[in-house]
Amino acid sequence: PTADVNDVNQTWWMQAINQLGGNLFINNSYSGSCVSTGGSSAGTNDTRLSKLKVGNEQPDVIIIYMGSNDCASAYVSLDSFQSAYKIMITKIKKLCPNSEIIVCTLPTTVFYSKQNQTDYNRVITECAAENNLKTIYLDEIDISNYLVDSAHPLKSGMTLIADKVVEYLLK
């Protein structure tokens, strides 16, 4: 629970899934994790990535909304993020070849600078284009006034994100 988000159905992903009549296969979110760097890195941790599958089953759709912690970090360079993001996409495509992979750009927020947001979103959209992936443009929304702290959305912020995800998925 964070602030007024105290039920999974209030998270952006469950709001979107519920609006679309889908089912959650797996949530591989880790609070505070980055695409790049070590530990629970989505780009380099094969154990973490392997949790996208359950036995021989894999999700129909994988939505990747990552990069905020990288973008806000003084310890992650844009080049490091770009390299790790490409590795992450390559590994997910290999692990789940029949899954549709959709990436999300980073929304506007006070968590990182506008310039960093622009730079990191460029990496995300270029990687999507190189891999023929759909992109959900969360940079079309500003969640700055819908945060419990500098980074984590209130329920109202979760709803802004969910509505944008649903809008793009219904296109």
Side-chain angles (χ1 to χ4, degrees), residues 46-90:
D46 291 332
T47 301
R48 177 178 176 180
L49 290 174
S50 71
K51 293 179 182 175
L52 290 173
K53 290 177 68 172
V54 177
N56 290 325
E57 291 185 70
Q58 58 187 318
D60 295 323
V61 177
I62 298 171
I63 298 175
I64 301 171
Y65 172 23
M66 289 197 71
S68 292
N69 291 327
D70 300 83
C71 187
S73 176
Y75 305 104
V76 177
S77 70
L78 186 61
D79 288 341
S80 172
F81 175 75
Q82 182 173 27
S83 175
Y85 204 90
K86 288 180 178 186
I87 290 168
M88 176 183 68
I89 296 299
T90 299

Side-chain angles (χ1 to χ4, degrees), residues 2-47:
T2 302
D4 65 345
V5 178
N6 52 32
D7 180 278
V8 70
N9 291 298
Q10 297 172 329
T11 62
W12 71 263
W13 57 90
M14 282 308 297
Q15 287 185 51
I17 289 168
N18 291 336
Q19 287 181 53
L20 296 167
N23 293 303
L24 178 65
F25 182 77
I26 189 99
N27 181 332
N28 201 17
S29 299
Y30 283 52
S31 178
S33 65
C34 291
V35 174
S36 55
T37 71
S40 65
S41 162
T44 60
N45 190 313
D46 291 332
T47 301

Side-chain angles (χ1 to χ4, degrees), residues 13-170:
W13 57 90
M14 282 308 297
Q15 287 185 51
I17 289 168
N18 291 336
Q19 287 181 53
L20 296 167
N23 293 303
L24 178 65
F25 182 77
I26 189 99
N27 181 332
N28 201 17
S29 299
Y30 283 52
S31 178
S33 65
C34 291
V35 174
S36 55
T37 71
S40 65
S41 162
T44 60
N45 190 313
D46 291 332
T47 301
R48 177 178 176 180
L49 290 174
S50 71
K51 293 179 182 175
L52 290 173
K53 290 177 68 172
V54 177
N56 290 325
E57 291 185 70
Q58 58 187 318
D60 295 323
V61 177
I62 298 171
I63 298 175
I64 301 171
Y65 172 23
M66 289 197 71
S68 292
N69 291 327
D70 300 83
C71 187
S73 176
Y75 305 104
V76 177
S77 70
L78 186 61
D79 288 341
S80 172
F81 175 75
Q82 182 173 27
S83 175
Y85 204 90
K86 288 180 178 186
I87 290 168
M88 176 183 68
I89 296 299
T90 299
K91 287 184 175 191
I92 292 173
K93 285 176 66 173
K94 183 176 180 182
L95 181 66
C96 300
N98 298 319
S99 299
E100 179 182 11
I101 301 169
I102 302 169
V103 299
C104 300
T105 61
L106 305 178
T108 298
T109 181
V110 295
F111 191 49
Y112 36 74
S113 72
K114 186 68 176 163
Q115 185 59 57
N116 281 355
Q117 177 196 21
T118 299
D119 293 342
Y120 279 69
N121 282 343
R122 180 184 45 77
V123 167
I124 292 167
T125 56
E126 286 176 1
C127 189
E130 290 168 8
N131 288 280
N132 296 315
L133 306 178
K134 287 183 184 175
T135 303
I136 297 171
Y137 291 91
L138 294 182
D139 54 314
E140 294 175 355
I141 59 173
D142 186 339
I143 61 171
S144 297
N145 294 321
Y146 305 93
L147 301 171
V148 64
D149 52 23
S150 64
H152 300 94
L154 293 160
K155 183 181 172 203
S156 55
M158 293 283 189
T159 299
L160 281 174
I161 296 168
D163 289 347
K164 188 55 69 173
V165 168
V166 169
E167 175 188 326
Y168 269 90
L169 292 178
L170 290 177

